[in-house]
Amino acid sequence: MLKIERDILGKNNARAAENRAWLRARGIFALNLVSSPGSGKTSLLVRTLQALGGRVPAAVIEGDQQTEFDAERIRATGAPALQINTGKGCHLDADMVARALPRMALADGSLLLIENVGNLVCPAAFDLGEAHKVAILSVTEGEDKPLKYPDMFAAADLMLLNKVDLLPYLRFDTARAIDYALRVNPRLRVIRSSATSGEGIDEWLAWIDAGLAAAHASARRA
Ligand code: MG
Ligand code: ZN
């Protein structure tokens, strides 16, 4: 069993490295958004695309077991979205992304947002070739999620503490949630966000802009 798992992850890592090289050559900045179901990923993406307002070419890969609902919400913003339905699968893998990339007509230097299947377990192990994993933890969940699912918070470079507009109605200990996340990953950057109130969206966009600039510089060097 362990050997099968190693083989699967080894193949995935090789494919992810190809994706990363493909993206790097084109100066495309790719983010892999991971979370539990219902953390507000799609709403946050919609708000992000609206705030970008076409300033940067952006496209989305939507991973869900079934339905095209999320891709349709993204397309309503005017951004192209490709839906991958994983069926019984509970995560995106690098091969799915490799097959999607050439079909998306991505502009050089664009932003690629990959919304993974809502699942805090195996997406942590499957590199897609992204520049960063972004973990979204909403305040409607438990503060202890980073300790319960440490692999995901260790693999992420940024955590969006989402739905903060709901804090007045909840007993969610923000400081404790952040402390738990930093215990698992001391270099994790944390941004408080809300797709409803817009809190944190400017800070999140500034983080994206810095990543885009690095991706563009790295493509010029390649
Ligand atoms: Mg979604
Ligand atoms: Zn899975």
Side-chain angles (χ1 to χ4, degrees):
M1 194 61 209
L2 274 174
K3 174 160 185 339
I4 295 170
E5 201 174 304
R6 269 203 311 274
D7 288 351
I8 290 172
L9 289 178
K11 273 197 192 115
N12 186 76
N13 285 342
R15 201 79 164 117
E18 291 169 18
N19 289 348
R20 191 164 280 116
W22 192 95
L23 293 162
R24 182 176 185 227
R26 290 162 180 78
I28 296 169
F29 181 53
L31 297 175
N32 179 2
L33 288 97
V34 291
S35 77
S36 303
S39 68
K41 291 189 296 301
T42 311
S43 298
L44 198 69
L45 286 184
V46 166
R47 180 88 193 211
T48 303
L49 293 163
Q50 287 166 344
L52 279 172
R55 170 166 72 73
V56 177
V60 176
I61 294 176
E62 279 291 339
D64 280 297
Q65 286 193 312
Q66 303 286 347
T67 81
E68 185 111 359
F69 296 155
D70 285 359
E72 283 161 9
R73 288 178 62 195
I74 298 295
R75 286 180 201 126
T77 71
L82 186 140
Q83 180 81 49
I84 297 176
N85 286 133
T86 57
K88 299 245 179 278
C90 46
H91 57 268
L92 293 175
D93 66 32
D95 190 57
M96 294 171 192
V97 172
R99 283 181 279 130
L101 290 175
R103 294 170 50 203
M104 295 186 73
L106 293 166
D108 285 2
S110 59
L111 170 66
L112 175 61
L113 299 160
I114 305 171
E115 182 180 335
N116 215 315
V117 179
N119 171 1
L120 277 176
V121 185
C122 33
F126 285 84
D127 184 5
L128 305 179
E130 72 276 355
H132 304 283
K133 284 187 178 68
V134 177
I136 293 125
L137 174 65
S138 79
V139 299
T140 53
E141 303 172 54
E143 297 101 345
D144 51 3
K145 281 247 172 107
L147 296 185
K148 285 184 173 168
Y149 304 98
D151 291 352
M152 185 57 84
F153 291 86
D157 294 309
L158 173 66
M159 177 172 94
L160 296 173
L161 189 65
N162 199 31
K163 304 191 189 180
V164 290
D165 57 294
L166 296 178
L167 280 171
Y169 314 106
L170 301 167
R171 288 167 61 184
F172 181 90
D173 188 335
T174 303
R176 177 178 293 185
I178 294 173
D179 175 58
Y180 285 162
L182 292 176
R183 231 187 265 184
V184 169
N185 179 355
R187 45 167 197 83
L188 187 68
R189 169 88 185 269
V190 178
I191 297 176
R192 296 158 192 246
S193 62
S194 165
T196 305
S197 70
E199 182 174 343
I201 299 298
D202 286 350
E203 195 180 348
W204 157 235
L205 287 187
W207 185 87
I208 288 175
D209 280 332
L212 277 165
H216 298 169
S218 150
R220 277 196 299 275
R221 280 198 308 273

